[in-house]
Amino acid sequence: MTGGGPHAVLFDMDGLLIDSEHVWLEVESEVMAWLGGEWSPAHQERLVGGSLYLAVDYMLELTGADAPREEVGRRMLDGMVERLSACVPMMPGAKDLLAEVRAAGVTAALVSSSHRRLIEPVLDAVGREHFALSVAGDEVAQTKPHPEPYLTAAARLGADPARCVVLEDSPNGVAAAEAAGCVTVAVPGLLPIPPAPRRTVVASLREVNLERLRSLVA
């Protein structure tokens, strides 16, 4: 850890490092059709940055379908794993930033609301070497917007949350990072995120480099 820079850089996954929101839309639409309902981008926006079973419960509430909660969740995971195992589309600037952080020897972690089954193919595609650790949504008691995922990552890294920089694309993720006391960089995806104290808002990861991250915790 360096005294003048971040103790760690903590990356969200969906919508931040990988362009997966349209993939989620495809899978959610398929599962909703199986449940006898219809799905739209407006439905998806209600769930951005949330947990798998938040989406499952919402789908069951919308359709009133008599389907086991676990079966709906399994279908969602199976659909995503199949697609991500074939192709993991990266967001603009993600590869360059990950490479720069690693080359400088700054610790990085992946902190996602997605289940471990979804994180594994992404780590394979993006490069496990970029991350000291990863925290999945099914490995914590409370997912984003609760701070537990980011507090867990910081604790496991031995890092002060106040000296960690989090990069997020959703309001739920930003809320989790800020509740954990981290400095936050928001790259809004489907939903707008306004600037705020200790929060920097950019249009793309192409606007972020290590020098800028260091300046945020200097």
Side-chain angles (χ1 to χ4, degrees):
M1 297 179 187
T2 57
H7 286 180
V9 181
L10 310 179
F11 292 90
D12 176 47
M13 187 177 83
D14 289 290
L16 187 280
L17 287 180
I18 65 169
D19 186 10
S20 58
E21 295 302 344
H22 71 283
V23 185
W24 275 110
L25 182 61
E26 289 178 8
V27 172
E28 289 160 351
S29 297
E30 288 179 2
V31 173
M32 275 294 278
W34 175 73
L35 289 170
E38 295 183 357
W39 195 249
S40 72
H43 291 125
Q44 184 189 32
E45 287 179 5
R46 293 174 59 101
L47 305 170
V48 172
S51 67
L52 174 71
Y53 281 100
L54 179 67
V56 168
D57 291 342
Y58 180 55
M59 290 174 163
L60 290 173
E61 180 185 347
L62 282 177
T63 60
D66 184 21
R69 189 170 181 255
E70 293 72 20
E71 171 67 9
V72 179
R74 185 189 65 76
R75 285 176 177 265
M76 294 265 282
L77 286 173
D78 286 350
M80 287 299 295
V81 168
E82 179 181 359
R83 286 164 171 81
L84 292 178
S85 295
C87 176
V88 177
M90 297 288 288
M91 293 296 284
K95 285 185 178 180
D96 289 343
L97 182 58
L98 285 170
E100 184 182 12
V101 169
R102 180 170 180 250
V106 177
T107 301
L110 187 68
V111 183
S112 176
S113 292
S114 286
H115 282 212
R116 175 58 60 183
R117 277 190 66 200
L118 298 189
I119 288 180
E120 290 302 310
V122 174
L123 287 173
D124 287 338
V126 173
R128 295 174 182 272
E129 67 274 10
H130 293 297
F131 307 103
L133 61 85
S134 57
V135 177
D138 56 336
E139 296 171 346
V140 292
Q142 301 186 81
T143 58
K144 305 171 189 179
H146 195 277
E148 182 182 349
Y150 284 113
L151 291 174
T152 298
R156 287 173 61 188
L157 292 171
D160 178 359
R163 298 298 299 276
C164 293
V165 179
V166 169
L167 294 105
E168 272 282 359
D169 73 298
S170 72
N172 272 348
V174 167
E178 292 178 347
C182 302
V183 178
T184 308
V185 176
V187 190
L190 294 178
L191 299 175
I193 302 173
R198 286 175 64 81
R199 179 194 306 168
T200 301
V201 180
V202 298
S204 163
L205 287 178
R206 287 175 173 157
E207 298 179 20
V208 183
N209 56 27
L210 187 55
E211 181 182 0
R212 188 167 189 179
L213 296 183
R214 282 175 168 152
S215 73
L216 297 177
V217 293

